[in-house]
Amino acid sequence: MTLVRIRVVLLVSLLCLGACTVPLRWAPMWLAVPAVVAAGLLLAWRFGRGGLMLPASLGVAVVTAHLALGDSVLPLWLGGWVPLAACTGVWMGLHEEGGGPSAGDRLWMLVPLLALAAVLPVMPGFVAAVSRLEALWMAENARMLREMTDAPSWWRNGITQQMAAPAAERHAYLLTLVPTMLWWWMALLVVAGRSLAARIATLMGWPSLSRASFPRLRLPDGALVPLLVGLALVLFAGPTWHPSGWILLVSVALGYSLQGLAVVSAMLQSRGMPHGLVALVVVCVVVVSLFWILPALAVLGLTDVWLDHRRLEPSPHGEA
């Protein structure tokens, strides 16, 4: 128990340290999101669907605070992450019995947060916030060009090209990049929340939370829906919806990249390679060839939906 308490303290300390690295408005997210994920998971695990009262209450509280304090203090695009993170925690808790959710199901349970990330570019308050971020970015680039006169020419040329890019293209790029990064940040905080819930369950004398095998990671078929919606938005919707489409495409494609990575890991392990060596090889390959290996892994993960490379689905004839 002492070791578990130490781990809880270390995890909370790391989250507090992370809160010190972001602007004041975002700092509470480092603690609020893991806390509501852990609370939602434990409540749903203990009380079943009654745990849904937590995200419902948080949603009402966020909307009430937004109406009372105004968009300048608590915009919905900021406060909305908390009740949706609680939804993810409750979703995990409802599936904890019977072996718990698989690695692919856990990844799919982040879809409420992905939905919010996808609609951020069409929320007026968020668009204004990105415009302010863009202005700060350009001002910082100009300052660095003035002060860092001895910087390498390739670095100065890169900064100059960024500043010379058309404003509309730069703004659209940020409207895609910022929500995508926010979603992956929230995914990291959800992982921290599940880890916190596991340690709290141990301290309370509850059974241990389930563990998922990464080599068996497989997204459910429903993950194709946001992928197709994103493709439709990019191809057929107006320019206003293009950032939303790219957010869905990039985020789901990265999810299928993880599935492709799981296929590679399973194949290496099936050849008798030790787990530690498999992890080392996979990490080295991804780090060395990041920009071309991720699309290849995404294609491998997508083909696994139909070809079932690892034979995870039972044979219709009952054969192995």
Side-chain angles (χ1 to χ4, degrees), residues 225-248:
V225 174
L227 184 69
L228 295 176
V229 170
L231 185 62
L233 290 176
V234 170
L235 295 178
F236 305 113
T240 303
W241 289 96
H242 285 175
S244 298
W246 281 114
I247 291 166
L248 291 173

Side-chain angles (χ1 to χ4, degrees), residues 107-297:
L107 199 56
W108 175 240
M109 289 172 182
L110 296 172
V111 72
L113 299 172
L114 178 59
L116 177 58
V119 300
L120 285 183
V122 296
M123 299 180 70
F126 183 78
V127 174
V130 170
S131 298
R132 292 193 295 270
L133 176 64
E134 181 182 2
L136 291 174
W137 180 33
M138 299 306 294
E140 181 65 17
N141 284 343
R143 184 192 64 81
M144 289 190 296
L145 284 176
R146 289 194 307 269
E147 297 181 359
M148 302 180 67
T149 55
D150 56 345
S153 59
W154 60 266
W155 181 85
R156 294 181 61 86
N157 290 337
I159 297 295
T160 303
Q161 290 176 3
Q162 290 179 10
M163 298 184 67
E169 293 182 7
R170 188 171 57 242
H171 188 68
Y173 171 74
L174 287 177
L175 282 178
T176 301
L177 177 65
V178 174
T180 303
M181 297 304 295
L182 286 176
W183 183 70
W184 282 99
W185 177 37
M186 293 299 157
L188 178 64
L189 295 182
V190 168
V191 173
R194 183 176 176 87
S195 178
L196 182 62
R199 282 151 179 76
I200 293 176
T202 300
L203 292 175
M204 296 173 62
W206 290 14
S208 299
L209 287 185
S210 61
R211 295 178 178 271
S213 172
F214 176 74
R216 296 181 63 85
L217 185 151
R218 187 178 187 182
L219 288 169
D221 294 341
L224 291 172
V225 174
L227 184 69
L228 295 176
V229 170
L231 185 62
L233 290 176
V234 170
L235 295 178
F236 305 113
T240 303
W241 289 96
H242 285 175
S244 298
W246 281 114
I247 291 166
L248 291 173
L249 280 176
V250 171
S251 300
V252 179
L254 287 175
Y256 278 109
S257 296
L258 290 177
Q259 181 166 323
L261 197 60
V263 172
V264 173
S265 300
M267 289 180 173
L268 292 176
Q269 290 182 9
S270 68
R271 301 297 189 275
M273 186 177 291
H275 293 188
L277 185 57
V278 170
L280 181 61
V281 170
V282 168
V283 169
C284 289
V285 170
V286 171
V287 170
V288 171
S289 51
L290 177 65
F291 294 104
W292 70 265
I293 196 65
L294 285 181
L297 289 173

Side-chain angles (χ1 to χ4, degrees), residues 48-142:
R49 296 184 182 276
L52 291 171
M53 291 297 297
L54 177 64
S57 302
L58 289 172
V60 172
V62 167
V63 172
T64 303
H66 168 73
L67 295 175
L69 301 176
D71 194 69
S72 60
V73 177
L74 184 63
L76 287 178
W77 59 264
L78 175 62
W81 295 104
V82 175
L84 291 177
C87 286
T88 295
V90 170
W91 195 352
M92 289 182 176
L94 291 175
H95 289 78
E96 191 56 37
E97 296 294 336
S102 65
D105 288 336
R106 292 184 189 179
L107 199 56
W108 175 240
M109 289 172 182
L110 296 172
V111 72
L113 299 172
L114 178 59
L116 177 58
V119 300
L120 285 183
V122 296
M123 299 180 70
F126 183 78
V127 174
V130 170
S131 298
R132 292 193 295 270
L133 176 64
E134 181 182 2
L136 291 174
W137 180 33
M138 299 306 294
E140 181 65 17
N141 284 343

